[in-house]
Amino acid sequence: NGCINVNKALTFDGSKPVVTYPKTNSGIRSVIIAQSLTKLIKSYVNTLDHDILFADAQGNYRTKSGYANWYNTIMSKIFKTTNKQFRKKDNRIAPYTFRHNFCTLLYYNGVSLKEAQRQMGHSSYNLVLSVYSHLDAEKENTKSKMDAICL
């Protein structure tokens, strides 16, 4: 239906994966996904013989180090397609960066602060507001506007 339902969170006890509930009730949500991604996700899900979206080779949740290795593999592929070298020591792009980018894309596409808060799963809009207000400041270009007023 063009949504991914989020109703669990994965944390780690040491390296062992533990399925929990999201930190707040706001974390339980339906995230709207682009229609173009729906086909890709459905075709991927149809290849799975278990219900864990990003499982290890045995169909289990990955360990903490397993996720780190998997993420580094993904980042290596991204860097390879951009003809840049990815170095594990130089891991400038953390997984959280993708959440920030998602929030930024919501802003640039005119999604309201309240809807962005819901999509991100935040209990208050303060985190979304910090991203949106930073982008608003860039977009405002107050200095140029003041220069234009004073001319």
Side-chain angles (χ1 to χ4, degrees):
N1 66 355
C3 293
I4 294 177
N5 295 317
V6 179
N7 57 19
K8 296 178 190 72
L10 187 67
T11 61
F12 295 96
D13 180 8
S15 184
K16 181 183 174 191
V18 179
V19 177
T20 63
Y21 291 102
K23 289 185 260 185
T24 66
N25 287 339
S26 302
I28 299 170
R29 64 200 186 279
S30 290
V31 178
I32 298 169
I33 57 170
Q35 186 176 0
S36 58
L37 292 178
T38 303
K39 272 177 119 172
L40 284 168
I41 293 170
K42 280 183 179 180
S43 64
Y44 172 70
V45 168
N46 288 337
T47 67
L48 301 176
D49 55 358
H50 45 73
D51 61 354
I52 299 172
L53 196 56
F54 303 115
D56 64 13
Q58 291 76 37
N60 300 312
Y61 289 105
R62 296 171 189 270
T63 62
K64 191 172 186 177
S65 61
Y67 271 105
N69 291 336
W70 179 63
Y71 181 74
N72 286 334
T73 300
I74 292 169
M75 292 310 299
S76 294
K77 289 179 182 180
I78 290 172
F79 275 76
K80 187 176 181 179
T81 61
T82 60
N83 294 319
K84 293 184 180 178
Q85 173 112 18
F86 174 71
R87 298 176 302 271
K88 290 180 186 176
K89 293 179 194 171
D90 190 25
N91 196 353
R92 297 169 301 224
I93 303 173
Y96 189 81
T97 305
F98 292 103
R99 273 184 62 80
H100 179 80
N101 286 349
F102 177 65
C103 191
T104 301
L105 289 170
L106 293 174
Y107 170 84
Y108 282 128
N109 286 282
V111 174
S112 72
L113 182 64
K114 194 69 179 164
E115 179 59 18
Q117 171 193 341
R118 196 184 72 71
Q119 289 291 308
M120 298 294 292
H122 293 303
S123 57
S124 80
Y125 59 82
N126 291 336
L127 287 171
V128 176
L129 184 60
S130 68
V131 172
Y132 272 37
S133 62
H134 169 72
L135 296 170
D136 272 342
E138 287 179 9
K139 184 175 156 186
E140 274 301 311
N141 198 359
T142 304
K143 183 173 178 356
S144 293
K145 290 178 181 178
M146 290 304 292
D147 288 345
I149 291 170
C150 294
L151 289 177

